[in-house]
């Protein structure tokens, strides 16, 4: 279900609250064929108890076999068909740091990386996850790289090895490929145009990259750090989405520690609430603003980070950490709780994957199934069956008594 006009027609204003918890990259795989996934192996008494009072299932972020990026994974959770509404990471990164993105701007998500200066191949796509203060200093240096054909170029730090590049000027176009090949041992890719009108913008970006990489190589050699190059991903313009508060008649608040997820929330029309760096900080923010909003998006990042690092036990520990704090979350007494992920990031795979996501939906109106634990195999047998992420907001709205009857 991704008919936003139907949702707009049926949505009701009620005094009920919906909480969507996204444990980023939640889905996993066993490290051995007969083993358990990260979620199944984690000690989660509170999630298991909630699952026993809920209805569970498995959910697909985009389509069977399609590996989603974080943008499509989250937009589908917010009820947008991710095929119809494609939003690139550059836009999300810029909005996530509060950048005032203009309609003609082209934005890219940047990654500092490490390359072998002799062979030119990438040796570390994240430059050893350099600290944010080094990333900010390097952004200041790169901001000095300008092109005469572009009115303004902004290079803004995001977090750790991430930055945002924004080009502002007339005649800029999107429809451009990434330079990050998503693997090591190969050189960066050039920016290429996917449509003829974007070829001039691709040439501008390749020129900027050549100058930026020369600056970084010189700085890395002088200062002795690993960030001697950079790559660009998700080069695009703001597509202008219909907003969740207008569609669903919800006051929407977002709680996320990473800028990109604040960006996708802002793009959907949510109010991004300032919070700290820990899950405890996020819980405190939820409590502080509980009376102010009808819908909360609560994001936990490091399940995904640990999966990408291949750290099975680390990912398991993040899940256990959230489980310990779940009683404080549930103490706010939300009318509907949905817990899932935006995509799977198995430690075995060390990257996003196409696997379905375990999902839990709790409300006083659910038909409980036989699940007594929250894990992939238990959810496989759950009453929700196999659904799509875009179904979750309509289900949440219905269980919160926020959808009118359709037809006579």
């Amino acid at each position: 279900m991704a008919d936003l006009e139907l949702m707009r027609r049926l949505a009701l204003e009620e005094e009920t609250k919906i909480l969507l918890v996204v444990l980023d990259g939640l889905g996993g795989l066993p490290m051995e064929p007969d083993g358990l996934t990260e979620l199944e192996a984690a000690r989660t008494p509170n999630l298991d108890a909630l699952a026993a009072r809920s209805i569970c299932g498995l959910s697909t972020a985009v389509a069977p076999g399609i590996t989603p990026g974080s943008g499509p994974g989250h937009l589908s959770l917010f009820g947008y068909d991710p095929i119809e509404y494609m939003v690139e990471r550059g836009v999300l990164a810029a909005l996530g740091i509060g950048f005032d993105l203009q309609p003609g701007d082209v934005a890219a998500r940047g990654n500092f990386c490490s390359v072998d200066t002799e062979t030119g191949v990438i040796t570390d796509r994240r430059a050893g996850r350099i600290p944010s203060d080094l990333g900010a200093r390097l952004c200041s240096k790169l901001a000095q790289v300008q092109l005469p054909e572009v009115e303004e170029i902004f290079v803004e730090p995001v977090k750790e090895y991430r930055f945002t590049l924004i080009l502002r000027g007339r005649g800029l176009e999107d429809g451009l490929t990434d330079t990050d090949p998503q693997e090591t041992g190969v050189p960066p890719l050039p920016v290429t145009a996917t449509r003829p009108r974007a070829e001039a913008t691709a040439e501008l970006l390749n020129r900027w990259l050549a100058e930026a990489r020369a600056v970084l190589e010189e700085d890395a050699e002088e200062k002795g750090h690993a960030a001697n190059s950079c790559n660009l991903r998700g080069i695009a313009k703001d597509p202008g989405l219909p907003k969740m508060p207008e569609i669903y008649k919800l006051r929407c608040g977002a709680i996320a520690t990473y800028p990109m997820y604040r960006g996708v929330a802002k793009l959907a029309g949510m109010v991004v609430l300032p919070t700290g760096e820990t899950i405890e900080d996020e819980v405190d923010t939820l409590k502080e603003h509980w009376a102010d909003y009808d819908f909360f998006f609560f994001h936990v990042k490091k399940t995904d980070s640990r999966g990408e690092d291949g750290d099975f036990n680390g990912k398991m520990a993040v899940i256990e950490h959230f489980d310990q704090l779940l009683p404080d979350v549930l103490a706010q007494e939300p009318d509907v709780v949905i817990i899932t992920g935006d995509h799977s990031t198995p430690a075995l795979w060390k990257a996003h994957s196409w696997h379905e996501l375990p999902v839990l939906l709790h409300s006083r109106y659910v038909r409980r199934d036989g699940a007594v634990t929250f894990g992939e195999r238990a959810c496989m047998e759950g009453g929700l069956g196999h659904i799509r992420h875009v179904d979750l907001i309509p289900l949440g709205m219905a269980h919160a008594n926020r959808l009118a009857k359709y037809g006579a």
Side-chain angles (χ1 to χ4, degrees), residues 26-28 37 39-40 44 47-48 50-52 54-60 338-341 356-361 369-387 392:
L26 176 63
T37 69
L39 178 58
E40 292 170 336
T44 54
L47 280 167
D48 293 344
L50 184 61
S54 306
I55 187 168
C56 298
L58 291 176
S59 186
T60 297
I338 300 169
I339 300 178
T340 187
E356 293 174 292
L357 277 299
V359 59
L360 171 161
L361 190 154
D369 53 28
V372 294
T373 60
F374 187 49
E376 284 83 351
R377 272 168 279 209
C379 287
M380 199 177 294
E381 305 297 327
L384 282 176
H386 298 261
I387 62 174
L392 291 174

Side-chain angles (χ1 to χ4, degrees), residues 120-140:
V121 304
I122 300 168
T123 57
D124 188 329
R125 292 178 53 238
R126 302 177 181 89
R129 295 188 184 273
I130 60 171
S132 296
D133 56 349
L134 174 56
R137 184 179 69 77
L138 294 177
C139 285
S140 295

